[in-house]
């Protein structure tokens, strides 16, 4: 009897497996995806990380710029030393590499794919890339520090926000981004905001003792630095996704540390060639806020710029280089507000209007990111529905 019962069960199981109606119904049933699935959790986790990176970028950029201007106002004169503080703190980035172990499998971002069969770049190719990125970082930091020496902090930040325009142009040339009406609108609004504040600062600076020559040098250096950083962001985005194919935390940190090391070496050469290092000892003793404040200002400038570099690269990897530049440009109205609080600058109507325009421009680009995400989601659902229909037809 036992063998007969087993045979009956086998026949029933075979009938259930080969029943076309049952197979068809199983393929047509769509089970709703719970809110705790890995895909949903990953989406919210991704944008939470983007929000944290954006806040770190805004805070660190503002604090570092204000501290650098405070250094100049209280008796500091070495632009090479300020440039050095922007890159020399790269050993701090070894901390997350030690605390967070590397993952063997790279984490893929939505819309990006990596071909595992492709050969990794050679050591010589990596060396060339790191040296090129280091030159961009070192040159941009030196030019930015020179501009901050001759111009008000708010003017420097507003001119620097023009790097968004340069980044879009370079990204278009590299085919990394598509220019949509919303992105164009954000660029125009942020540019108008920068022009308004720059014009107001021009009027205020003309009443001070700042010479036209110094203003011209500061303007050209800051604008060139903005163009260099725009090229840096686009090139970093291209190298990480297409050439180096870096996705894990450890690999990204390797890129940052290598390019910061090259930039630090270049700035050190400039510091010794210019012979500014000879005056650093007397400069520290004559600093208005004291020697301890002198050291702490330089220390925290270095820490803030390393946090800025890490978070900027995080925004580039999570979203795009253009989005990272939009966040950087959004910090332009923040620095004038801090200048009002710390340096007792006057807040006029033009500054208020420029702040509104900057927020409007950022919102325009953020809405474009939302539309792109909804479009990608609709494409995924369409492909899933098409696959279900194909399975239903085949089983029928």
């Amino acid at each position: 009897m036992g063998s007969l019962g087993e045979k009956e069960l086998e026949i029933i199981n075979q009938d259930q497996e080969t029943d076309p109606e049952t197979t068809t119904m199983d393929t047509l049933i769509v089970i709703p995806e719970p809110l705790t699935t890995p895909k949903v959790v990953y989406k919210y986790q991704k944008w939470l990380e983007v929000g944290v990176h954006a806040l770190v970028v805004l805070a660190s950029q503002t604090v570092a710029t204000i501290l650098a201007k405070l250094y100049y106002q209280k008796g500091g004169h070495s632009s090479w030393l300020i440039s050095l503080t922007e890159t020399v703190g790269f050993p701090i980035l070894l901390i997350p590499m030690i605390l967070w172990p590397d993952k063997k499998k790279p984490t893929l971002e939505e819309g990006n794919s990596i071909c595992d069969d492709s050969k990794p770049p050679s050591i010589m190719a990596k060396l060339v890339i790191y040296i090129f990125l280091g030159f961009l970082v070192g040159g941009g930091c030196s030019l930015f520090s020179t501009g901050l020496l001759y111009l008000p902090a708010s003017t420097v930040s507003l001119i620097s926000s023009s790097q968004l325009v340069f980044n879009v142009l370079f990204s278009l040339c590299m085919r990394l981004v598509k220019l949509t009406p919303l992105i164009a609108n954000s660029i125009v609004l942020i540019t108008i905001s920068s022009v308004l504040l720059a014009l107001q600062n021009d009027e205020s600076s003309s009443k001070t003792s700042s010479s036209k020559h110094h203003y011209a040098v500061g303007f050209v250096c800051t604008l060139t630095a903005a163009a260099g950083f725009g090229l840096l962001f686009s090139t970093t985005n291209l190298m990480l996704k297409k050439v180096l194919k870096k996705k894990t935390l450890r690999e990204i940190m390797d890129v940052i540390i290598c390019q910061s090391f090259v930039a630090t070496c270049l700035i050190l050469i400039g510091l010794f060639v210019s012979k500014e290092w000879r005056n650093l000892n007397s400069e520290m003793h004559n600093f208005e806020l004291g020697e301890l404040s002198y050291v702490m200002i330089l220390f925290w400038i270095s820490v803030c710029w390393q946090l800025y570099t890490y978070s900027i690269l995080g925004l580039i990897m999570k979203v795009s280089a253009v989005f990272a530049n939009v966040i950087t440009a959004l910090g332009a109205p923040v620095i004038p507000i801090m200048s009002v609080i710390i340096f007792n600058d006057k807040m006029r109507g033009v500054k208020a209007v420029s702040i509104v325009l900057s927020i409007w421009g950022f919102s325009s680009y953020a809405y474009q990111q939302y539309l792109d995400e909804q479009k990608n989601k609709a494409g995924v659902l369409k492909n899933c529905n098409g696959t279900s229909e194909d399975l239903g037809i085949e089983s029928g």
Side-chain angles (χ1 to χ4, degrees):
M1 293 296 293
S3 61
L4 180 60
E6 292 176 357
K7 291 181 179 179
E8 290 178 354
L9 290 175
E10 291 178 358
I11 294 173
I12 293 173
N13 291 333
Q14 291 176 359
D15 292 339
Q16 290 179 351
E17 292 176 357
T18 58
D19 189 0
E21 294 182 359
T22 305
T23 306
T24 304
M25 292 300 296
D26 291 339
T27 56
L28 294 179
I29 294 176
V30 179
I31 300 175
E33 188 178 22
L35 294 177
T36 58
T37 56
K39 292 183 179 179
V40 177
V41 173
Y42 171 77
K43 182 184 71 172
Y44 289 105
Q45 180 182 359
K46 171 189 173 182
W47 287 107
L48 178 62
E49 292 176 358
V50 169
V52 172
H53 283 310
L55 289 176
V56 172
V57 166
L58 292 175
S60 58
Q61 177 188 14
T62 301
V63 173
T65 304
I66 293 297
L67 289 177
K69 193 60 184 178
L70 183 64
Y71 162 82
Y72 286 130
Q73 287 194 350
K74 299 303 180 179
H77 303 286
S78 177
S79 61
W80 284 108
L81 181 61
I82 294 298
S83 302
L84 185 63
T85 58
E86 297 176 16
T87 60
V88 75
F90 68 88
I92 298 175
L93 299 176
L94 294 173
I95 297 176
M97 296 180 65
I98 298 174
L99 296 179
W100 299 328
D102 188 20
K103 297 180 180 180
K104 294 182 179 180
K105 295 182 179 180
T107 57
L108 299 179
E109 300 296 334
E110 295 179 355
N112 297 332
S113 60
I114 299 179
C115 181
D116 296 334
D117 297 333
S118 60
K119 295 181 180 180
S122 62
I123 298 178
M124 184 59 65
K126 290 182 179 180
L127 184 61
V128 172
I129 292 173
Y130 293 151
I131 292 176
F132 177 72
L133 295 177
F135 266 98
L136 291 178
V137 173
C141 292
S142 301
L143 292 171
F144 178 82
S145 300
T146 304
L148 192 61
L149 175 63
Y150 296 121
L151 298 177
S154 56
T155 303
V156 171
S157 65
L158 294 167
I159 298 174
S160 298
S161 65
S162 63
Q163 73 185 33
L164 175 63
V165 179
F166 293 107
N167 179 234
V168 171
L169 295 177
F170 291 127
S171 297
L172 288 173
C173 295
M174 299 177 186
R175 297 181 180 180
L176 297 175
V177 68
K178 294 181 180 179
L179 185 63
T180 63
L182 288 174
I183 293 180
N185 180 58
S186 66
I187 293 174
V188 172
L189 290 173
I190 293 174
T191 303
I192 293 175
S193 172
S194 301
V195 170
L196 288 177
L197 279 176
L199 290 177
Q200 183 181 8
N201 285 328
D202 289 346
E203 295 175 358
S204 61
S205 62
S206 62
K207 298 178 182 180
T208 63
S209 59
S210 178
S211 64
K212 294 182 179 180
H213 174 72
H214 286 169
Y215 181 84
V217 172
F219 182 85
V220 172
C221 289
T222 307
L223 187 63
T224 307
F229 284 127
L231 177 60
L232 174 66
F233 287 177
S234 299
T235 306
T236 302
N237 191 14
L238 178 65
M239 295 300 176
L240 289 176
K241 292 185 177 181
K242 300 297 180 64
V243 181
L244 297 175
K245 294 180 172 59
K246 302 296 186 182
K247 288 296 178 181
T248 63
L249 175 66
R250 193 178 191 86
E251 291 174 336
I252 295 174
M253 290 296 98
D254 289 340
V255 177
I256 298 178
I257 291 174
C258 290
Q259 71 180 25
S260 298
F261 175 77
V262 174
T264 301
C265 293
L266 294 175
I267 294 173
L268 281 174
I269 293 174
L271 178 64
F272 283 96
V273 170
S274 64
K275 299 181 180 180
E276 288 186 0
W277 62 274
R278 297 179 178 178
N279 302 323
L280 295 181
N281 191 20
S282 60
E283 182 180 278
M284 181 176 63
H285 290 300
N286 298 327
F287 196 67
E288 294 182 12
L289 300 179
E291 297 181 4
L292 180 61
S293 298
Y294 181 88
V295 175
M296 294 304 297
I297 286 175
L298 297 177
F299 172 77
W300 285 111
I301 290 175
S302 180
V303 172
C304 288
W305 281 123
Q306 293 309 310
L307 293 174
Y308 171 85
T309 303
Y310 173 71
S311 295
I312 276 291
L313 193 55
L315 292 177
I316 292 175
M317 295 300 301
K318 293 293 181 180
V319 188
S320 67
V322 177
F323 181 80
N325 267 298
V326 170
I327 297 297
T328 302
L330 185 64
V334 178
I335 295 178
I337 294 176
M338 297 301 298
S339 298
V340 170
I341 299 174
I342 297 175
F343 301 122
N344 296 325
D345 292 343
K346 294 182 179 180
M347 172 65 74
R348 299 180 180 179
V350 176
K351 288 187 177 180
V353 172
S354 65
I355 292 174
V356 173
L357 291 177
S358 297
I359 297 175
W360 185 6
F362 168 76
S363 301
S364 178
Y365 188 85
Y367 184 65
Q368 178 63 54
Q369 293 294 321
Y370 171 78
L371 293 180
D372 293 340
E373 184 179 358
Q374 294 298 318
K375 185 178 179 180
N376 294 333
K377 185 186 299 183
V380 172
L381 292 176
K382 184 178 179 180
N383 293 333
C384 293
N385 293 333
T387 303
S388 300
E389 292 177 359
D390 294 338
L391 291 174
I393 294 173
E394 291 177 359
S395 61

